């Protein structure tokens, strides 16, 4: 393996790159802090290895051969990549950092976190950017372990599974409440089970948290619509006889946007916890920890209270 590289002194590659960029042995030697004779000797070794002149003199300029022109972009890219990845990590400075974070979210978790976070970052980290992507499953374990995403925003019940390579940062606890059209003035368990339901399934799951809990109670509700997005759901509820269970964190905002009434869930159900999931060996360790702290600080827990 790497039989060619074993025969090549890799210290010669910066020599090739410098001569190609400067078109001059003298200027390349100055950049690399070598004498011109030492650089000329290194160039001779490169010519012997590649069996090609690589550079020829034309007046005062060293012009690359056809083969050198073919090699140059690959050598430059390789040296640049190695230099970038082998350089000591610079301390993270949020005021100047232009890092981009790739974060897996659902409609709900993005709604909870990003309004407050982006406001908080306006003056503290103005150059940071985010790429939000659909959370393919909960809690995007494969993508986190593969380094495809930096973090995932999701939620779990108290008895949820834990992976040893993932860090879980609790943001806040929430619970489900029910929304219905304004024609409904009360809601009991019998009404709830008799109605049709709209269920948001961000991972296209066959059974949601409440359906699993109802099954443990020996109960079942009728699902009329499953949708991966929360955006249209409140407006469907406002114009139909369907019910929808939503996290209380978003209830007051939804009530402002759609003509709906809110009710307590007519049966006991466990609360769930909204969490940040990240890999314990993330390449963006310091920036990730800083963003996680900012997320936690920017959350203002606003759950709907029926005594308001």
């Amino acid at each position: 393996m790497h039989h060619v590289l074993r025969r090549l002194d890799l210290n010669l590659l910066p020599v090739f790159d410098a001569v190609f960029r400067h078109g001059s042995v003298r200027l390349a030697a100055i950049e690399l802090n070598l004498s011109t004779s030492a650089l000329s000797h290194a160039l001779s070794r490169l010519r012997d290895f590649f069996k090609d002149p690589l550079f020829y003199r034309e007046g005062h300029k060293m012009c690359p051969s056809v083969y050198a022109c073919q090699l140059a972009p690959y050598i430059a890219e390789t040296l640049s990549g190695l230099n970038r990845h082998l350089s000591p990590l610079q301390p993270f400075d949020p005021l100047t950092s232009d890092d981009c974070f790739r974060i897996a979210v659902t409609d709900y978790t993005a709604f909870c976190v990003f309004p407050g976070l982006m406001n908080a970052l306006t003056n503290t980290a103005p150059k940071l950017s985010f790429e939000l992507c659909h959370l393919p499953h909960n809690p995007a374990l494969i993508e986190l372990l593969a380094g495809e995403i930096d973090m995932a925003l999701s939620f779990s019940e108290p008895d949820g599974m834990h992976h040893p390579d993932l860090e879980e940062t609790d943001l806040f606890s929430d619970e489900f409440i029910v929304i219905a059209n304004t024609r409904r003035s009360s809601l009991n368990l019998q009404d709830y089970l008799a109605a049709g339901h709209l269920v948001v399934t961000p991972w296209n799951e066959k059974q949601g948290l409440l359906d699993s809990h109802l099954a443990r109670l020996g109960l079942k509700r009728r699902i009329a619509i499953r949708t991966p997005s929360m955006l249209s759901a409140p407006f469907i509820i406002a114009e139909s006889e369907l019910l929808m269970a939503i996290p209380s964190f978003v209830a007051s905002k939804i009530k402002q946007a759609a003509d709906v009434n809110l009710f307590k869930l007519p049966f006991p159900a466990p609360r769930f916890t909204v969490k940040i999931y990240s890999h314990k060996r993330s390449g963006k360790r310091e920036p990730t920890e800083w963003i996680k702290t900012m997320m936690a600080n920017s959350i203002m827990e606003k759950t709907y209270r029926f005594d308001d």
Side-chain angles (χ1 to χ4, degrees):
M1 192 175 182
H2 305 309
H3 59 282
V4 174
L5 294 180
R6 288 202 301 267
R7 294 188 291 110
L8 173 65
D9 182 353
L10 297 182
N11 289 314
L12 297 176
L13 295 183
V15 170
F16 175 96
D17 182 63
V19 174
F20 183 87
R21 284 186 289 103
H22 291 291
S24 165
V25 169
R26 183 180 64 84
L27 293 177
I30 291 172
E31 178 184 301
L32 298 175
N33 198 26
L34 296 173
S35 66
T36 53
S37 61
L39 193 134
S40 295
H41 177 68
L43 195 54
S44 296
R45 293 176 61 195
L46 279 168
R47 287 166 171 155
D48 288 342
F49 179 83
F50 287 115
K51 304 295 188 282
D52 187 270
L54 297 178
F55 302 95
Y56 59 92
R57 187 172 296 282
E58 192 171 278
H60 295 292
K61 188 172 180 65
M62 295 293 286
C63 297
S65 68
V66 172
Y67 185 46
C69 288
Q70 294 172 344
L71 284 175
Y74 298 105
I75 291 176
E77 181 181 358
T78 299
L79 292 174
S80 176
L82 283 172
N83 188 63
R84 184 171 60 254
H85 288 96
L86 297 178
S87 297
L89 290 176
Q90 297 298 311
F92 174 67
D93 182 357
L95 276 174
T96 59
S97 173
D98 59 356
D99 278 346
C100 178
F101 294 90
R102 183 170 169 82
I103 303 178
V105 298
T106 64
D107 285 354
Y108 164 61
T109 55
F111 185 97
C112 292
V113 170
F114 277 89
L117 177 64
M118 296 312 292
N119 179 57
L121 296 181
T122 301
N123 296 318
T124 57
K127 295 182 181 180
L128 289 185
S129 60
F130 300 87
E131 183 180 344
L132 305 186
C133 56
H134 172 66
L135 187 64
H137 39 77
N138 191 16
L141 175 63
I142 296 172
E143 291 75 13
L144 284 165
L145 296 179
E148 295 174 3
I149 56 176
D150 299 306
M151 286 170 276
L153 297 178
S154 189
F155 49 87
S156 68
E157 291 185 289
D159 57 351
M161 297 291 290
H162 300 277
H163 191 280
D165 288 332
L166 295 187
E167 257 181 13
E168 301 179 14
T169 303
D170 292 355
L171 285 179
F172 63 93
S173 174
D174 204 352
E175 64 182 345
F176 285 104
I177 63 174
V178 182
I179 62 172
N181 65 45
T182 54
R183 295 184 294 277
R184 185 179 291 275
S185 58
S186 62
L187 182 67
N188 57 35
L189 180 59
Q190 184 177 354
D191 297 332
Y192 185 86
L193 297 176
H197 294 262
L198 184 154
V199 178
V200 176
T201 53
W203 313 295
N204 297 314
E205 63 270 30
K206 297 301 181 184
Q207 192 174 50
L209 291 177
L210 285 181
D211 295 295
S212 300
H213 184 63
L214 283 169
R216 289 192 289 269
L217 297 176
L219 303 172
K220 185 178 180 179
R221 60 180 178 174
R222 180 177 67 85
I223 308 300
I225 299 179
R226 296 182 191 272
T227 175
S229 173
M230 190 181 288
L231 181 61
S232 63
F235 303 98
I236 296 174
I237 297 301
E239 299 295 330
S240 71
E241 298 301 318
L242 299 177
L243 302 178
M244 175 187 173
I246 63 168
S248 63
F249 194 102
V250 301
S252 59
K253 293 292 185 182
I254 284 180
K255 188 170 174 59
Q256 294 173 24
D259 193 17
V260 295
N261 284 341
L262 280 65
F263 300 95
K264 290 182 179 179
L265 201 64
F267 56 90
R271 296 177 67 87
F272 57 89
T273 303
V274 176
K275 296 184 176 185
I276 309 170
Y277 293 87
S278 59
H279 198 291
K280 290 182 177 178
R281 294 184 296 278
S282 169
K284 292 182 179 177
R285 188 67 183 170
E286 187 180 358
T288 297
E289 291 303 310
W290 188 87
I291 281 293
K292 286 161 65 173
T293 299
M294 291 298 292
M295 285 181 178
N297 291 342
S298 65
I299 286 289
M300 296 179 62
E301 189 167 349
K302 295 179 180 178
T303 56
Y304 186 84
R305 294 181 304 190
F306 288 92
D307 55 353
D308 285 348

